[in-house]
């Protein structure tokens, strides 16, 4: 009989492209993953991997077996999250991946509620940009992802994931109190185009959203600093070095010298939601976390 662990190893190698990468994701040593692959080849009687340069590729039969394996693993996950779970008693270990401001504005309060309620759930959290979060949940590396989708930069969700939007998050222009725009009741793209900016790194969704603001003007903002942490953005605004576009969710109380100015036409905003695999829909743990996140997001939005 084919071993489930060997199928998991093969699926991980297919998804991540190498034995080493699969081992890192699975939390095993490369030699342990190789042993699982060899066991699978012994059980099936054919080779599932072939060397190509310094890497490996799945054979034709290996690809077919990996496809069957993914279906079997999905059905097993669905079985474990439904028939073998007590809906009234969520328990077990769940991995959550979320972007940094959601970690502060949503995940932090959720963990506080879990701690005070005594629920038997063991939660680990990893901060990642939404695209990486979607990939981790889709690939089984995480169970629940918290993501955002700017109104100008759509987020692609694979079909085997379920997405539920939780709230709308608006971004403001942050300037120093002495800045000429600090006393405005609102600004538009043309008012901000000549400013010096700080932005999240190239390729991040928030960076793309900032660039899109000025697309209709045929201009690219003068970005002098790239940093993934919005706390750094606020600090550099306070130091009069730059201006920044910072969402409200998870935003700390601004220093006295930093002013938030609303942006319009259009209003830069992002939808914040959560994703999980369809096979985990009935999981008591996922349902419990989703309920807490809905409540926290509702409070944040209000």
């Amino acid at each position: 009989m084919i071993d489930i662990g060997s199928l998991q190893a093969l699926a991980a190698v297919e998804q991540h492209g190498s034995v080493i990468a699969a081992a890192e994701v699975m939390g095993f040593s490369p030699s342990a993953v190789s042993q699982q692959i060899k066991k699978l080849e012994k059980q099936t009687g054919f080779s599932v991997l072939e060397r190509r340069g310094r890497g490996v590729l799945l054979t034709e039969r290996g690809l077919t077996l990996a496809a069957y394996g993914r279906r079997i693993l999905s059905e097993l996950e669905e079985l474990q999250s439904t028939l073998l779970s007590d809906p009234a008693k969520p328990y077990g270990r769940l991995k959550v991946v979320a972007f940094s401001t959601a970690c502060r504005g949503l995940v932090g309060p959720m963990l506080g509620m879990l701690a005070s309620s005594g629920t038997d759930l063991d939660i680990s959290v990893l901060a990642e940009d939404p695209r990486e979060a979607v990939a981790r949940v889709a690939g089984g590396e995480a169970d629940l992802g918290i993501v955002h989708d700017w109104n100008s930069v759509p987020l692609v969700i694979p079909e085997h994931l379920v997405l539920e939007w939780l709230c709308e998050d608006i971004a403001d222009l942050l300037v120093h109190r002495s800045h000429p725009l600090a006393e405005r009741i609102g600004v538009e793209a043309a008012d901000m185009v000549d400013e010096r900016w700080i932005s999240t790194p190239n390729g991040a969704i928030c960076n793309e959203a900032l660039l899109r603001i000025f697309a209709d003007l045929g201009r690219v903002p003068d970005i002098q600093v790239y940093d993934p942490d919005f706390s750094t953005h606020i600090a550099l605004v306070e130091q009069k070095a730059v201006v920044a576009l910072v969402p409200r969710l998870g935003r700390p109380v601004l220093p006295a010298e930093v002013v938030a100015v609303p942006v319009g036409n259009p209003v830069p905003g992002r939808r914040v939601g959560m994703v999980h695999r369809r096979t985990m829909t009935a999981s008591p743990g996922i349902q419990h976390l989703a309920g807490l996140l809905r409540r926290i997001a509702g409070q944040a939005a209000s």
Side-chain angles (χ1 to χ4, degrees):
M1 181 177 292
I2 294 178
D3 182 72
I4 291 295
S6 298
L7 283 177
Q8 289 176 318
L10 181 64
V13 171
E14 181 195 24
Q15 180 182 354
H16 299 286
S18 72
V19 170
I20 293 176
E24 183 178 349
V25 170
M26 296 179 71
F28 298 147
S29 67
S31 62
V33 173
S34 294
Q35 288 299 319
Q36 291 284 1
I37 297 298
K38 289 178 181 177
K39 181 192 298 185
L40 186 60
E41 291 179 331
K42 184 177 181 180
Q43 291 169 336
T44 59
F46 55 79
S47 297
V48 297
L49 295 182
E50 60 182 22
R51 290 205 168 275
R52 181 67 60 89
R54 295 185 178 181
V56 293
L57 291 176
L58 272 67
T59 64
E60 184 175 351
R61 282 187 165 187
L63 288 169
T64 301
L65 185 58
Y68 274 107
R70 286 195 302 273
R71 291 198 294 271
I72 292 170
L73 293 170
S74 293
E75 290 174 358
L76 181 60
E77 181 175 70
E78 188 170 11
L79 171 65
Q80 291 174 330
S81 67
T82 54
L83 185 62
L84 302 182
S85 298
D86 184 348
K89 297 179 180 179
Y91 73 95
R93 182 175 179 80
L94 293 175
K95 297 180 181 179
V96 176
V97 57
F99 57 96
S100 60
T101 49
C103 284
R104 293 195 294 268
L106 297 176
V107 177
M110 180 189 75
L111 294 177
M113 289 181 176
L114 287 173
S116 62
S117 67
T119 303
D120 191 17
L121 279 171
D122 182 12
I123 308 297
S124 62
V125 182
L126 175 66
E128 288 273 28
D129 201 55
R131 291 184 182 123
E132 284 71 27
V134 168
R136 287 186 182 276
V137 175
E141 298 173 49
D143 302 298
L144 182 69
I146 301 177
V147 299
H148 62 69
D149 181 345
W150 285 84
N151 49 19
S152 58
V153 187
L155 185 65
V156 178
I157 305 295
E159 290 185 0
H160 70 290
L161 299 189
V162 176
L163 168 65
E164 177 184 340
W165 295 117
L166 294 169
C167 62
E168 186 84 9
D169 185 23
I170 303 302
D172 298 308
L173 172 69
L174 300 190
V175 299
H176 190 271
R177 186 169 296 280
S178 63
H179 193 284
L181 296 177
E183 295 183 1
R184 297 277 294 271
I185 59 173
V187 293
E188 298 182 1
D191 303 313
M192 307 181 290
V193 70
D194 294 321
E195 300 296 332
R196 299 189 308 270
W197 290 85
I198 182 171
S199 168
T200 53
N202 275 321
I205 294 180
C206 292
N207 169 261
E208 292 184 21
L210 176 61
L211 297 179
R212 296 284 180 91
I213 289 177
F214 303 103
D216 288 344
L217 300 179
R219 297 280 298 276
V220 176
D222 179 13
I223 300 175
Q224 296 198 338
V225 182
Y226 292 90
D227 192 289
D229 190 344
F230 282 123
S231 296
T232 304
H233 295 208
I234 295 171
L236 266 64
V237 172
E238 185 180 21
Q239 295 161 15
K240 302 183 181 181
V242 291
V243 301
L245 187 74
V246 178
R248 296 172 185 173
L249 178 67
R251 191 169 73 194
V253 176
L254 296 176
E257 296 303 308
V258 175
V259 176
V261 183
V263 179
N265 195 28
V267 175
R270 57 185 186 177
R271 295 177 295 177
V272 177
M274 54 185 170
V275 293
H276 60 77
R277 292 180 296 284
R278 291 188 186 279
T279 52
M280 295 288 284
T281 299
S283 163
I286 292 294
Q287 289 185 344
H288 188 69
L289 295 188
L292 293 178
L293 288 170
R294 292 185 194 104
R295 188 190 318 171
I296 296 165
Q299 294 170 349
S302 63

